[in-house]
Amino acid sequence: MKERRRYVRLKLESTMEYYNDRGQRMKVAPLVSVSGGGVCFLTKEPLEGKKNVKMSFVLPGDDSPIKATVEIVWVRDKDGMKGVYEVGANFVALDHFDREKIGDYVYNHLKA
């Protein structure tokens, strides 16, 4: 099977927050992985595919939050975890500086 990702993904043990359309925090969720193109995270409710969600997270060792809008690309049951869903999302709005910061973080941790 051919890999479809344009960006290298790095496993990450962190959390993220996501928000409703009014900017009110909806949930805090475990962040599973990150790349220059998107994130993977866990939720206890299935999110709608093709829906945009505002989110923020902090990379380990950095204090400034990365704020982005992501599009939910896929949602699937998390293996062995009843009632937990794994969500894959692509960045649709992300500051250029933040995208570079994510890319540098991934690159530096992959070569370590």
Side-chain angles (χ1 to χ4, degrees):
M1 177 186 289
K2 184 178 181 199
E3 180 64 45
R4 295 182 303 181
R5 290 190 185 121
R6 289 180 31 198
Y7 298 94
V8 176
R9 190 168 294 275
L10 178 71
K11 290 186 186 223
L12 190 67
E13 291 185 20
S14 187
T15 58
M16 58 167 266
E17 298 177 343
Y18 58 99
Y19 307 87
N20 65 18
D21 295 337
R22 295 182 301 274
Q24 298 167 316
R25 186 174 83 176
M26 289 175 52
K27 300 284 180 183
V28 174
L31 190 57
V32 176
S33 65
V34 65
S35 76
V39 294
C40 178
F41 60 97
L42 302 178
T43 67
K44 290 192 176 182
E45 65 277 332
L47 299 176
E48 292 179 46
K50 303 299 180 198
K51 181 176 180 177
N52 286 356
V53 175
K54 293 180 190 276
M55 49 110 41
S56 68
F57 64 97
V58 176
L59 291 171
D62 192 348
D63 291 333
S64 58
I66 293 173
K67 296 180 180 181
T69 301
V70 295
E71 178 186 24
I72 306 302
V73 177
W74 52 264
V75 178
R76 63 182 174 221
D77 292 332
K78 176 69 176 155
D79 293 336
M81 298 178 75
K82 186 176 172 101
V84 176
Y85 301 90
E86 194 170 30
V87 179
N90 289 337
F91 294 124
V92 294
L94 177 65
D95 180 80
H96 178 73
F97 175 77
D98 286 337
R99 189 179 303 271
E100 283 187 0
K101 184 166 46 169
I102 293 168
D104 289 345
Y105 181 86
V106 171
Y107 175 77
N108 290 327
H109 285 81
L110 284 176
K111 68 177 194 172

